[in-house]
Amino acid sequence: ILSISNDLESAADRFYQISEHLARKARKGIVFNDEQNAQLQIIFNMVDEALHIMLENLNTEYQKVLIDKAFEKELEINKFRNKMRKAHLKSIERKEYSLKSGITYNEIFLLLERAANHILNVTRAITGEVSKDDEDESMPQAAMDR
């Protein structure tokens, strides 16, 4: 229970930080281009899906919860974050948007991915896995068997 509450609080902290970035963006008149907006919408939707999986797991008898669905969503988010990061660096090189816009955009998608890590950790706690730092994460056996 303590692990679950800690990860829920950490995920909420990341969402709060995102709201701060968005408020600062509005105050300073920073604008995202269509591509930035589209990519953020995709990763926001993925994190929303991860939240739905987490809620489903929280509302299921814990002995019946399997981590695979949550872990697959986390892998999907990580893969998309990597794609966003590569495209972002290329866009910065090509000066497709301002540095301020780029910094804010980068911070938001990184915070979304970090929130997703904590969302996964809730299911890890439910299933009895110990929460691990990003660098200590390992795949569940079912994911490795594929």
Side-chain angles (χ1 to χ4, degrees), residues 68-98:
D68 291 352
K69 191 173 177 184
F71 191 78
E72 287 170 9
K73 183 54 66 178
E74 171 64 12
L75 288 177
E76 180 184 350
I77 291 167
N78 287 346
K79 184 177 177 182
F80 192 73
R81 183 246 3 242
N82 292 342
K83 177 183 168 188
M84 287 179 77
R85 186 179 5 219
K86 285 179 186 176
H88 166 65
L89 293 174
K90 288 179 183 177
S91 293
I92 289 288
E93 285 176 10
R94 292 189 297 255
K95 299 181 186 200
E96 293 176 2
Y97 42 77
S98 73

Short mmCIF file of all heavy atoms in Angstrom, two decimals, residues 68-98:
data_model
loop_
_atom_site.label_atom_id
_atom_site.label_comp_id
_atom_site.label_asym_id
_atom_site.label_seq_id
_atom_site.Cartn_x
_atom_site.Cartn_y
_atom_site.Cartn_z
N ASP A 68 1.52 -7.77 -17.51
CA ASP A 68 1.87 -7.69 -18.94
C ASP A 68 1.26 -6.50 -19.66
O ASP A 68 1.96 -5.79 -20.39
CB ASP A 68 1.48 -8.98 -19.66
CG ASP A 68 2.35 -10.14 -19.25
OD1 ASP A 68 3.33 -9.93 -18.52
OD2 ASP A 68 2.04 -11.27 -19.65
N LYS A 69 -0.03 -6.26 -19.49
CA LYS A 69 -0.70 -5.17 -20.21
C LYS A 69 -0.10 -3.81 -19.81
O LYS A 69 0.17 -2.96 -20.67
CB LYS A 69 -2.20 -5.21 -19.90
CG LYS A 69 -3.05 -4.33 -20.76
CD LYS A 69 -4.53 -4.59 -20.45
CE LYS A 69 -5.43 -3.70 -21.24
NZ LYS A 69 -6.85 -3.89 -20.89
N ALA A 70 0.13 -3.64 -18.52
CA ALA A 70 0.72 -2.38 -18.03
C ALA A 70 2.15 -2.22 -18.55
O ALA A 70 2.55 -1.13 -18.96
CB ALA A 70 0.70 -2.34 -16.50
N PHE A 71 2.90 -3.31 -18.54
CA PHE A 71 4.29 -3.25 -19.00
C PHE A 71 4.36 -2.96 -20.49
O PHE A 71 5.19 -2.18 -20.94
CB PHE A 71 5.02 -4.55 -18.66
CG PHE A 71 6.50 -4.43 -18.86
CD1 PHE A 71 7.31 -3.78 -17.95
CD2 PHE A 71 7.09 -4.97 -20.00
CE1 PHE A 71 8.68 -3.66 -18.16
CE2 PHE A 71 8.46 -4.85 -20.21
CZ PHE A 71 9.25 -4.19 -19.28
N GLU A 72 3.48 -3.58 -21.27
CA GLU A 72 3.45 -3.33 -22.72
C GLU A 72 3.15 -1.86 -23.01
O GLU A 72 3.74 -1.27 -23.92
CB GLU A 72 2.43 -4.24 -23.39
CG GLU A 72 2.89 -5.67 -23.47
CD GLU A 72 1.82 -6.64 -23.93
OE1 GLU A 72 0.73 -6.19 -24.35
OE2 GLU A 72 2.07 -7.86 -23.86
N LYS A 73 2.23 -1.27 -22.25
CA LYS A 73 1.90 0.14 -22.46
C LYS A 73 3.11 1.01 -22.11
O LYS A 73 3.42 1.96 -22.82
CB LYS A 73 0.68 0.53 -21.61
CG LYS A 73 0.22 1.97 -21.82
CD LYS A 73 -0.04 2.33 -23.27
CE LYS A 73 -1.20 1.60 -23.89
NZ LYS A 73 -1.44 2.02 -25.30
N GLU A 74 3.82 0.67 -21.04
CA GLU A 74 5.02 1.42 -20.67
C GLU A 74 6.08 1.33 -21.76
O GLU A 74 6.72 2.33 -22.10
CB GLU A 74 5.57 0.91 -19.33
CG GLU A 74 6.92 1.47 -18.95
CD GLU A 74 6.95 2.96 -18.70
OE1 GLU A 74 5.89 3.60 -18.59
OE2 GLU A 74 8.06 3.51 -18.63
N LEU A 75 6.27 0.14 -22.33
CA LEU A 75 7.23 -0.02 -23.43
C LEU A 75 6.83 0.82 -24.64
O LEU A 75 7.68 1.45 -25.28
CB LEU A 75 7.36 -1.49 -23.83
CG LEU A 75 8.08 -2.41 -22.86
CD1 LEU A 75 8.04 -3.85 -23.37
CD2 LEU A 75 9.51 -1.96 -22.63
N GLU A 76 5.53 0.85 -24.93
CA GLU A 76 5.02 1.65 -26.04
C GLU A 76 5.29 3.14 -25.80
O GLU A 76 5.72 3.87 -26.71
CB GLU A 76 3.51 1.40 -26.19
CG GLU A 76 2.85 2.16 -27.30
CD GLU A 76 1.34 1.94 -27.34
OE1 GLU A 76 0.81 1.06 -26.62
OE2 GLU A 76 0.68 2.66 -28.11
N ILE A 77 5.06 3.59 -24.57
CA ILE A 77 5.32 4.99 -24.22
C ILE A 77 6.80 5.31 -24.33
O ILE A 77 7.19 6.34 -24.89
CB ILE A 77 4.77 5.31 -22.81
CG1 ILE A 77 3.24 5.27 -22.83
CG2 ILE A 77 5.29 6.66 -22.31
CD1 ILE A 77 2.60 5.27 -21.45
N ASN A 78 7.65 4.42 -23.83
CA ASN A 78 9.11 4.64 -23.90
C ASN A 78 9.58 4.71 -25.36
O ASN A 78 10.40 5.56 -25.72
CB ASN A 78 9.87 3.53 -23.18
CG ASN A 78 9.76 3.63 -21.68
OD1 ASN A 78 9.33 4.64 -21.13
ND2 ASN A 78 10.12 2.56 -21.01
N LYS A 79 9.06 3.82 -26.18
CA LYS A 79 9.44 3.81 -27.60
C LYS A 79 9.01 5.12 -28.28
O LYS A 79 9.78 5.72 -29.03
CB LYS A 79 8.79 2.61 -28.29
CG LYS A 79 9.18 2.43 -29.73
CD LYS A 79 8.55 1.17 -30.31
CE LYS A 79 8.89 1.03 -31.77
NZ LYS A 79 8.25 -0.16 -32.35
N PHE A 80 7.81 5.57 -27.97
CA PHE A 80 7.32 6.80 -28.57
C PHE A 80 8.11 8.00 -28.04
O PHE A 80 8.44 8.92 -28.82
CB PHE A 80 5.82 6.98 -28.31
CG PHE A 80 5.22 8.08 -29.14
CD1 PHE A 80 5.02 7.91 -30.50
CD2 PHE A 80 4.89 9.30 -28.57
CE1 PHE A 80 4.50 8.94 -31.28
CE2 PHE A 80 4.35 10.32 -29.34
CZ PHE A 80 4.16 10.14 -30.69
N ARG A 81 8.44 8.00 -26.76
CA ARG A 81 9.26 9.08 -26.20
C ARG A 81 10.61 9.16 -26.91
O ARG A 81 11.08 10.25 -27.24
CB ARG A 81 9.47 8.83 -24.69
CG ARG A 81 10.26 9.91 -23.95
CD ARG A 81 11.63 9.54 -23.39
NE ARG A 81 12.13 8.23 -23.63
CZ ARG A 81 12.40 7.35 -22.67
NH1 ARG A 81 12.17 7.62 -21.41
NH2 ARG A 81 12.92 6.17 -22.98
N ASN A 82 11.21 8.01 -27.18
CA ASN A 82 12.49 7.99 -27.90
C ASN A 82 12.34 8.57 -29.30
O ASN A 82 13.19 9.32 -29.77
CB ASN A 82 13.05 6.58 -27.95
CG ASN A 82 13.49 6.07 -26.59
OD1 ASN A 82 13.68 6.84 -25.65
ND2 ASN A 82 13.60 4.76 -26.47
N LYS A 83 11.24 8.22 -29.96
CA LYS A 83 10.96 8.75 -31.29
C LYS A 83 10.78 10.27 -31.22
O LYS A 83 11.31 11.01 -32.06
CB LYS A 83 9.70 8.08 -31.84
CG LYS A 83 9.24 8.59 -33.18
CD LYS A 83 7.94 7.92 -33.59
CE LYS A 83 7.33 8.65 -34.77
NZ LYS A 83 5.99 8.16 -35.09
N MET A 84 10.05 10.72 -30.20
CA MET A 84 9.83 12.17 -30.03
C MET A 84 11.15 12.89 -29.79
O MET A 84 11.39 13.96 -30.34
CB MET A 84 8.89 12.43 -28.85
CG MET A 84 7.44 12.09 -29.12
SD MET A 84 6.39 12.40 -27.68
CE MET A 84 6.23 14.19 -27.77
N ARG A 85 12.00 12.30 -28.97
CA ARG A 85 13.28 12.94 -28.64
C ARG A 85 14.14 13.09 -29.89
O ARG A 85 14.72 14.15 -30.13
CB ARG A 85 14.02 12.13 -27.57
CG ARG A 85 15.28 12.82 -27.10
CD ARG A 85 16.05 12.09 -26.03
NE ARG A 85 15.54 10.80 -25.66
CZ ARG A 85 15.51 10.33 -24.44
NH1 ARG A 85 15.94 11.04 -23.44
NH2 ARG A 85 15.06 9.11 -24.19
N LYS A 86 14.22 12.04 -30.71
CA LYS A 86 15.02 12.11 -31.95
C LYS A 86 14.47 13.17 -32.90
O LYS A 86 15.23 13.97 -33.45
CB LYS A 86 15.05 10.75 -32.65
CG LYS A 86 15.94 9.75 -31.99
CD LYS A 86 15.91 8.43 -32.72
CE LYS A 86 16.71 7.38 -31.97
NZ LYS A 86 16.63 6.06 -32.60
N ALA A 87 13.15 13.18 -33.08
CA ALA A 87 12.54 14.16 -33.97
C ALA A 87 12.72 15.57 -33.41
O ALA A 87 12.97 16.52 -34.18
CB ALA A 87 11.05 13.85 -34.14
N HIS A 88 12.62 15.71 -32.11
CA HIS A 88 12.79 17.01 -31.46
C HIS A 88 14.20 17.56 -31.71
O HIS A 88 14.37 18.72 -32.08
CB HIS A 88 12.52 16.87 -29.96
CG HIS A 88 12.96 18.03 -29.15
ND1 HIS A 88 12.40 19.29 -29.26
CD2 HIS A 88 13.91 18.13 -28.18
CE1 HIS A 88 13.00 20.11 -28.40
NE2 HIS A 88 13.91 19.43 -27.75
N LEU A 89 15.21 16.72 -31.54
CA LEU A 89 16.58 17.17 -31.75
C LEU A 89 16.81 17.60 -33.20
O LEU A 89 17.47 18.61 -33.46
CB LEU A 89 17.57 16.08 -31.33
CG LEU A 89 17.61 15.79 -29.83
CD1 LEU A 89 18.50 14.59 -29.54
CD2 LEU A 89 18.04 17.01 -29.04
N LYS A 90 16.23 16.85 -34.14
CA LYS A 90 16.35 17.23 -35.55
C LYS A 90 15.63 18.55 -35.82
O LYS A 90 16.12 19.39 -36.57
CB LYS A 90 15.78 16.13 -36.44
CG LYS A 90 16.67 14.90 -36.51
CD LYS A 90 16.07 13.83 -37.38
CE LYS A 90 16.95 12.59 -37.36
NZ LYS A 90 16.35 11.49 -38.12
N SER A 91 14.47 18.74 -35.21
CA SER A 91 13.71 19.98 -35.39
C SER A 91 14.46 21.18 -34.82
O SER A 91 14.45 22.26 -35.41
CB SER A 91 12.34 19.87 -34.72
OG SER A 91 11.54 18.92 -35.39
N ILE A 92 15.13 20.98 -33.69
CA ILE A 92 15.94 22.06 -33.09
C ILE A 92 17.07 22.41 -34.05
O ILE A 92 17.34 23.59 -34.30
CB ILE A 92 16.48 21.65 -31.70
CG1 ILE A 92 15.36 21.60 -30.66
CG2 ILE A 92 17.60 22.57 -31.24
CD1 ILE A 92 14.81 22.94 -30.24
N GLU A 93 17.74 21.40 -34.59
CA GLU A 93 18.84 21.64 -35.55
C GLU A 93 18.35 22.43 -36.76
O GLU A 93 19.05 23.30 -37.26
CB GLU A 93 19.44 20.32 -36.02
CG GLU A 93 20.32 19.63 -35.01
CD GLU A 93 20.80 18.27 -35.51
OE1 GLU A 93 20.61 17.94 -36.70
OE2 GLU A 93 21.37 17.53 -34.68
N ARG A 94 17.16 22.10 -37.24
CA ARG A 94 16.60 22.77 -38.42
C ARG A 94 15.88 24.07 -38.07
O ARG A 94 15.33 24.73 -38.96
CB ARG A 94 15.64 21.82 -39.14
CG ARG A 94 16.32 20.62 -39.77
CD ARG A 94 15.39 19.82 -40.67
NE ARG A 94 14.27 19.26 -39.94
CZ ARG A 94 14.15 17.97 -39.61
NH1 ARG A 94 15.08 17.11 -39.96
NH2 ARG A 94 13.10 17.54 -38.94
N LYS A 95 15.88 24.42 -36.79
CA LYS A 95 15.25 25.65 -36.30
C LYS A 95 13.77 25.74 -36.71
O LYS A 95 13.29 26.79 -37.13
CB LYS A 95 16.03 26.87 -36.77
CG LYS A 95 17.45 26.86 -36.23
CD LYS A 95 18.23 28.06 -36.65
CE LYS A 95 19.63 27.80 -36.16
NZ LYS A 95 20.53 28.72 -35.97
N GLU A 96 13.07 24.60 -36.54
CA GLU A 96 11.66 24.55 -36.88
C GLU A 96 10.78 25.22 -35.84
O GLU A 96 9.62 25.50 -36.11
CB GLU A 96 11.22 23.10 -37.10
CG GLU A 96 11.88 22.48 -38.32
CD GLU A 96 11.55 21.02 -38.51
OE1 GLU A 96 10.76 20.46 -37.72
OE2 GLU A 96 12.09 20.43 -39.46
N TYR A 97 11.32 25.42 -34.65
CA TYR A 97 10.62 26.16 -33.62
C TYR A 97 11.64 26.79 -32.68
O TYR A 97 12.82 26.47 -32.73
CB TYR A 97 9.61 25.30 -32.86
CG TYR A 97 10.04 23.89 -32.50
CD1 TYR A 97 10.91 23.63 -31.45
CD2 TYR A 97 9.52 22.80 -33.20
CE1 TYR A 97 11.26 22.34 -31.11
CE2 TYR A 97 9.86 21.51 -32.88
CZ TYR A 97 10.74 21.28 -31.82
OH TYR A 97 11.09 19.99 -31.49
N SER A 98 11.16 27.71 -31.87
CA SER A 98 12.07 28.45 -31.00
C SER A 98 12.66 27.56 -29.92
O SER A 98 12.09 26.51 -29.58
CB SER A 98 11.32 29.62 -30.33
OG SER A 98 10.44 29.13 -29.32
#
